[in-house]
Amino acid sequence: MSDSEIQRYGVLSEPAGRDLQALVELAADFFGVETAAINLITSDEQHQVATAGFEPSICSREDSMCAAVVDHPGAVVVSDASRDDRFADNPFVTGEIGSVRFYASAPLVTPGGITLGRLCVFDEQPRESTPEQQRALVVLAQRVMDVIELRLRNREVAHSVDELTRTRDELRRSNEALVHFAGQVSHDLRNPLMVISANAEMLSMEPAVADNPDLAEMVGEISDAGLRMNRLIRSVLSHARGNGAAAFDPVPLGRVFGQAVADLRTVVGSSGANVTVGDLPSVSGDPDLLYAVALNLVGNALKFTRPGTSPTVEVSAIRHDGWWRVLVRDEGIGIPDEHREDVFRPYVRLAGEESEDEVDGHGVGLATVSRIVEAHGGRVGVDSTQDVGTTVWFELPERPEDLTRPESTAR
């Protein structure tokens, strides 16, 4: 156990440093001797990581005096080691390696209760020690462990900072890619959209249309859809660039999802889909951006269907702890467990290989949903069972002032 702990602390692979050196010298001074050491004990060796009065070295565990008492819970003080059964035959006592007589040590214990070694002081002359010196040795050993522990925590913090820096850089690159994609898509969409809107306007002025209420209504719907799509493109592009503040107004989600379903009527009709929108609340937000959320979620639910079945989509909402959770449930192909977290990343498409060419899209829909919902102070998540169905949900605050929420785990 101590081997793995010593490796985790990394103390054998770095210099002793001024802090450990000062502590071992202080221990020697306090006992009035010239020699002291911080000894870490592995399964087969003793490593002197800091010493006073001599150069650090490594010896076998069986030759170590500290190893003989490594499991002793407190201070060990021996006036004359040659007269102590634990040390009398030790080569550091017999003259083979040294001629130690006075020996005192205290354990180096981790916060988890693992003993890494001992702080020891020793001399070639027999000595007596006071209770104050023995207590001081224990305290100094604790301070040695504090230094070792602090170094570990500093390395962990540095590693965490490096990880956060890499994550930040990855997010920045992802956001830049999303902005570039949104700009390209908006450019590609606006030109045909202008043609559609212009033709709809000219059609509305044709006598055959103006005199036919049904035709006039259809052309009006085309014109309204064009205006809505143009407004949506501007909102999403501005949001993706981060230079557009969302207009937090009361937004009836029932109307928003109803409009999204109406705009998807061609897909709904051609696929024989059954789409149900239940009672949804009003929330505070940007209506155009929340329309983009609804359009993406319902559109995705209609896309990923099982072969030979018509899509079934249900939109509902539940209220809990001052938050509204809106759920879009389908009975489609589902999402494999290992890809649950990936679906909200840009350009990720998880359709099966057999249907890859049949499913339209670029893999930015759910990434856009996540970005918009988070900008509204909410969060998104997904529950899915492969070949059974998927529920994508998002949560928004019930009140406009609740723009943040405590961290929680998606279920």
Side-chain angles (χ1 to χ4, degrees):
M1 177 69 77
S2 62
D3 286 27
S4 60
E5 281 294 276
I6 289 173
Q7 184 177 10
R8 185 171 74 91
Y9 278 96
V11 70
L12 298 184
S13 60
E14 61 184 16
R18 295 176 61 182
D19 41 12
L20 291 182
Q21 189 62 41
L23 287 170
V24 77
E25 290 174 357
L26 181 60
D29 289 344
F30 205 80
F31 277 82
V33 299
E34 294 183 356
T35 49
I38 297 171
N39 293 329
L40 298 189
I41 311 298
T42 68
S43 58
D44 55 0
E45 291 179 326
Q46 171 183 276
H47 296 258
Q48 294 172 334
V49 298
T51 59
F54 65 101
E55 290 298 316
S57 63
I58 301 173
C59 71
S60 67
R61 181 183 175 116
E62 64 183 13
D63 289 340
S64 166
M65 295 181 70
C66 285
V69 292
V70 68
D71 293 326
H72 193 282
V76 172
V77 181
V78 178
S79 299
D80 187 344
S82 66
R83 297 177 179 275
D84 189 293
D85 292 341
R86 293 170 294 182
F87 305 117
D89 295 330
N90 189 279
F92 280 97
V93 177
T94 61
E96 295 178 46
I97 299 177
S99 301
V100 173
R101 292 297 179 263
F102 173 72
Y103 171 87
S105 69
L108 305 174
V109 184
T110 71
I114 306 300
T115 301
L116 303 185
R118 298 183 77 87
L119 168 65
C120 73
V121 296
F122 52 94
D123 194 19
E124 293 184 352
Q125 301 297 323
R127 287 177 175 272
E128 298 296 332
S129 63
T130 66
E132 289 77 12
Q133 288 174 317
Q134 297 173 22
R135 287 193 294 270
L137 185 62
V138 172
V139 171
L140 287 173
Q142 292 170 346
R143 299 295 79 77
V144 168
M145 197 62 237
D146 288 344
V147 170
I148 295 173
E149 184 74 22
L150 180 60
R151 289 181 180 182
L152 172 64
R153 300 308 170 200
N154 285 339
R155 285 195 300 273
E156 290 176 342
V157 169
H159 178 73
S160 297
V161 170
D162 290 342
E163 288 292 321
L164 288 172
T165 300
R166 283 193 289 270
T167 300
R168 180 204 63 193
D169 293 342
E170 290 173 3
L171 287 173
R172 180 182 292 124
R173 287 191 292 270
S174 177
N175 286 337
E176 289 172 353
L178 182 59
V179 170
H180 175 76
F181 182 83
Q184 185 63 48
V185 168
S186 67
H187 178 270
D188 293 343
L189 288 177
R190 278 176 173 169
N191 288 335
L193 188 59
M194 289 175 59
V195 173
I196 292 172
S197 297
N199 286 336
E201 184 177 355
M202 287 188 293
L203 273 175
S204 67
M205 294 184 291
E206 290 290 327
V209 173
D211 296 338
N212 188 317
D214 292 335
L215 287 178
E217 182 179 359
M218 291 177 59
V219 172
E221 289 179 353
I222 294 173
S223 181
D224 291 343
L227 292 173
R228 195 160 50 249
M229 185 61 67
N230 188 50
R231 191 168 62 245
L232 174 61
I233 290 171
R234 289 199 307 268
S235 295
V236 172
L237 178 59
S238 179
H239 181 70
R241 287 173 173 168
N243 58 7
F248 286 94
D249 299 318
V251 180
L253 290 180
R255 184 183 304 169
V256 169
F257 273 88
Q259 188 63 66
V261 173
D263 289 343
L264 291 166
R265 66 168 65 87
T266 301
V267 178
V268 173
S270 63
S271 63
N274 178 25
V275 181
T276 303
V277 178
D279 292 333
L280 302 182
S282 289
V283 297
S284 179
D286 184 300
D288 294 327
L289 293 177
L290 292 178
Y291 168 78
V293 170
L295 194 66
N296 275 298
L297 293 184
V298 176
N300 266 8
L302 293 170
K303 283 181 188 178
F304 299 102
T305 59
R306 284 176 286 162
T309 64
S310 297
T312 297
V313 181
E314 179 183 347
V315 184
S316 60
I318 56 175
R319 177 186 176 190
H320 65 100
D321 298 331
W323 292 81
W324 282 107
R325 174 176 287 198
V326 179
L327 307 97
V328 180
R329 184 183 65 83
D330 64 54
E331 297 178 358
I333 60 176
I335 301 169
D337 291 345
E338 63 270 20
H339 294 308
R340 296 272 181 88
E341 298 299 323
D342 295 333
V343 295
F344 296 106
R345 292 168 42 214
Y347 313 122
V348 172
R349 302 181 67 216
L350 301 177
E353 292 181 0
E354 70 280 359
S355 62
E356 183 69 30
D357 294 332
E358 301 174 8
V359 179
D360 295 329
H362 299 83
V364 298
L366 290 182
T368 300
V369 167
S370 178
R371 187 180 174 99
I372 292 172
V373 171
E374 289 173 2
H376 282 71
R379 64 170 188 160
V380 297
V382 59
D383 301 314
S384 183
T385 302
Q386 196 165 5
D387 297 326
V388 174
T390 299
T391 298
V392 181
W393 53 262
F394 65 91
E395 292 183 340
L396 293 176
E398 181 182 2
R399 297 185 302 276
E401 61 270 21
D402 294 335
L403 297 181
T404 59
R405 65 172 299 147
E407 188 70 21
S408 58
T409 303
R411 297 183 298 277

